[in-house]
Amino acid sequence: MKNSTRTSTDPSSYEVATDIESKTAIAPERAHLQLAIDGMTCQACASRIEKVLSKKPAVYEASVNFAGETANIDYDPAQTTPEQVTEWVNKTGFVANLQAADSLFAQTDKDTATEYPWRLIGLWICLLPFLVGMAGMLTGFGMTWMPPVWIQFVLATIVQFGLALPFYKSAWASIKGGLANMDVLVVIGTVTIWAYSTYLWLTHGDGTLSSLLQSGYAGGHGPAVYFEAGVMVIAFVRTGKYLEERTKKHSLNSIDLLLSLTPDEVEQQQPNGDFHNVALQAVQVGDILRAKQGSRVATDGVVIDGGGWCVESHLTGESVPLKKQIGDELLAGALVENGSLLYRVSAKGSDTQLGDMVKALSDAQGSKADLARLADRVTAVFVPVVVTIALATFGLTWWLTGMVDTALMHAVSVLVIACPCALGLATPAAIMAGMGVAARHGVWFKDAQSLEAAGNIDTVVLDKTGTLTVGKPSIVDHVMVDSSIAVDDVLQIAASVEAHASHPLATALINAAAERHLPLMTVTDISVIKGAGIQANIEGLGLVKVGTAEFANLTLPKFMPKVWQIASTVALSINDEPLGAFALADDLKADTPQAIAALQESGIHVILMSGDKQSVVDHVAGQLGIDKAYGQMSPRDKASQVALLQTAGHKVAMAGDGVNDAPAMATADASFAMFEGTDVAQHSASARLMGESLMHIDAAQKIANATLRNIKQNLFFAFLYNTLGIPLAAFGFLNPMIAAAAMALSSISVLMNALRLTRFRTEVELDNTVSTHQTDDKRLPSA
């Protein structure tokens, strides 16, 4: 536990000590690494990489996301390096890539989803003669349209040992890794078909070369070969993989969209004042860039000349333009809707807020929800079980029918249709889509478990100041114990101590002192008493306490103006002798009533908990229609009340912005840190709300709930597919070609269902909750 007392005259050096800090502090020897991985073909591949990494003593935890093609690894930097971890992954047969220091996201050596699919085109060219022959069978011409068997053999061999080479490489690497993947099933099935058909062809006729070349369907009865089955299986599976890759990379993954927000070239000011176009990679911190109307801001920076209106919806979820003028901050990716800006670069690449969002989104998409564990356990043993079922199918069918070719086709159908791809994609595909939609709405979930928890909540506990209210209270009244004491003197003392606190009420006192040009005094021995206030020593005065009336040993008169009943109180004492108190009032956020109503309409029970006095809390609750409101709550009280709600069977989310909210946020099932909340609150929260609107909480809950429904739909379909598909194949109702097509369609179907999430809309996006006709000088008035 950190010591909560320190001596300093620098406000920035003061750190508030909380229980949550000591509970969640990350030990220096634990480092995090994310890798982009190329070459995974199914969930078994991801499981194999996890298995290999988990065996390394230096790796604490490894989580591989098949849909996102990423690996999140926690490791001991004293025992290994990122380069060594990358090498471990590469030895499993995949290609892992580290993120460049100044890049936004790790990129693979090649984009298999966008490169020209020459191999796939070759497969379909080889398949075309077989399709013509099968068309003849369907139209009543029998086998006469099928090419001669020797041509079938040549085409099938080219496909089997040339164009299908990636299947062999993946299967062999998988077997070496000790965990078979879907490519093992494809290789076993298609090689068996090829070998059996080749055997039938070579043993047909008298065995001479002339006999082999003449055997065909056009001039007689050829052998009952099945070359077309193997070729079609490989072509269909590869086509399914290609479509799957394109969907994952370009439709489900919002990271690609975020990466496209920064331009490749920027206008950079030269020493002589001229502007030249340069590559964004060449820009350095401190350079001066220009952003014109209709262009994107390339880096984080500060406006040094010009003015305009920028849309920062990519980070906040609110598409209302913000006015930017000299001294204002710009965020990478913001769209300049009107005007022209000169700005000095303050951060670039991964150091920008956009880069932070990309990393946060990538880490979150790469994590696993609890629902994914079930699919992982199934796929880990799936391939050996399927091979066993296929062998049993072959043996029983041969024994019952006496036909080896029929038995073989049934067994191969089992191998092909039993691919666990749909099962492996069910959860990560939905998580990727849901995380992207949440980010679009200004909600950054820390990981998949956080999103899953948010989707199950039935109760939301809200802090008052900075959560329901604007968080910028102002002094509306004051009372002095001794009328001879100047109010400004008391304010100066209070502000000097409160300069070392982070609560909005403290900020209000500091701002009031600054407006009256009152210099802050030097303080020492600062100590924060959570839920009560802050105390410090001031030379010449003694021990100064600033906080609640009880903390400052102040008893307010019974008959006070009405404003004191609905305002927050900050009292002050010196050496336990009370001097006076200030009444501070704070306005509700414009959309707070709408947000509370939206949560309640969704069946969410809303509870208000605040450290403020009960009369103020009751007044705010009455304005918003909240039936349960608790005042004068210490941080421990809030956490205890949340725990009681959980004991009663409720799934609780906590939203707050201050240090005092951190213990309750850590206790809750899900938690939301408000925009510009304290670092401790944001560290404790399972999600960060990047916009000022309270409607983001409603959006987060609705998006999480929709994502969970999508995951359950995907898992149901995947389990149903395999449960029905394997018996149908075993009993001969599906031939290998149909099984291959069904297998490919199963994965695409899961991805398409997950893709529906990307079209999800909430009131935040439809309404923006903050109307464009507000008169705030930081908002663009509507035309």
Side-chain angles (χ1 to χ4, degrees), residues 152-403:
Q152 294 183 47
F153 168 77
V154 171
L155 293 174
T157 303
I158 293 173
V159 169
Q160 193 69 50
F161 302 107
L163 298 175
L165 190 60
F167 287 93
Y168 288 86
K169 290 181 178 179
S170 174
W172 176 241
S174 177
I175 292 172
K176 286 197 301 182
L179 194 62
N181 63 4
M182 65 155 283
D183 290 335
V184 173
L185 300 179
V186 173
V187 168
I188 292 175
T190 57
V191 165
T192 302
I193 291 174
W194 178 89
Y196 180 68
S197 298
T198 301
Y199 168 78
L200 291 178
W201 172 55
L202 293 177
T203 57
H204 181 76
D206 57 12
T208 64
L209 179 60
S210 175
S211 174
L212 294 176
L213 294 177
Q214 289 178 1
S215 62
Y217 300 109
H221 298 286
V225 295
Y226 301 93
F227 287 119
E228 76 281 358
V231 174
M232 289 190 74
V233 166
I234 292 172
F236 284 172
V237 172
R238 186 65 196 93
T239 301
K241 285 187 178 185
Y242 177 75
L243 295 175
E244 178 185 306
E245 288 168 358
R246 287 190 62 85
T247 304
K248 288 191 301 183
K249 288 180 179 291
H250 300 295
S251 299
L252 282 180
N253 201 344
S254 297
I255 290 177
D256 285 343
L257 179 60
L258 292 175
L259 295 177
S260 67
L261 291 178
T262 54
D264 295 328
E265 287 191 346
V266 294
E267 289 188 73
Q268 182 188 54
Q269 188 177 48
Q270 305 301 310
N272 62 1
D274 294 338
F275 286 89
H276 291 165
N277 287 339
V278 300
L280 179 58
Q281 291 86 343
V283 172
Q284 301 298 323
V285 173
D287 288 351
I288 297 175
L289 307 180
R290 180 167 64 186
K292 297 178 182 178
Q293 180 175 345
S295 65
R296 294 275 182 181
V297 176
T299 67
D300 285 359
V302 178
V303 179
I304 62 172
D305 195 15
W309 300 86
C310 294
V311 177
E312 298 175 347
S313 59
H314 63 299
L315 293 175
T316 66
E318 297 174 357
S319 59
V320 180
L322 302 176
K323 185 178 181 181
K324 299 294 182 179
Q325 52 196 6
I326 295 175
D328 288 341
E329 293 184 355
L330 291 177
L331 300 178
L335 174 65
V336 182
E337 190 169 89
N338 191 15
S340 178
L341 304 163
L342 280 186
Y343 62 98
R344 190 181 305 278
V345 177
S346 59
K348 55 173 292 192
S350 58
D351 294 328
T352 63
Q353 192 163 337
L354 175 63
D356 183 47
M357 180 179 185
V358 168
K359 184 180 184 304
L361 180 58
S362 180
D363 285 347
Q365 288 182 338
S367 61
K368 288 186 178 179
D370 291 337
L371 282 172
R373 309 296 174 183
L374 174 62
D376 285 352
R377 288 194 294 269
V378 172
T379 55
V381 297
F382 203 84
V383 173
V385 170
V386 168
V387 172
T388 302
I389 294 174
L391 289 174
T393 298
F394 176 79
L396 286 173
T397 306
W398 192 5
W399 178 62
L400 292 172
T401 66
M403 302 173 64

Side-chain angles (χ1 to χ4, degrees), residues 523-539:
V523 301
T524 59
D525 300 325
I526 306 159
S527 180
V528 174
I529 289 75
K530 291 182 295 181
I534 182 172
Q535 65 183 30
N537 281 311
I538 297 181
E539 188 175 355

Side-chain angles (χ1 to χ4, degrees), residues 495-536:
S496 299
V497 176
E498 290 280 41
H500 300 269
S502 58
H503 197 276
L505 296 180
T507 304
L509 294 176
I510 297 167
N511 292 339
E515 290 173 2
R516 303 184 190 190
H517 305 289
L518 302 176
L520 299 183
M521 306 166 71
T522 300
V523 301
T524 59
D525 300 325
I526 306 159
S527 180
V528 174
I529 289 75
K530 291 182 295 181
I534 182 172
Q535 65 183 30

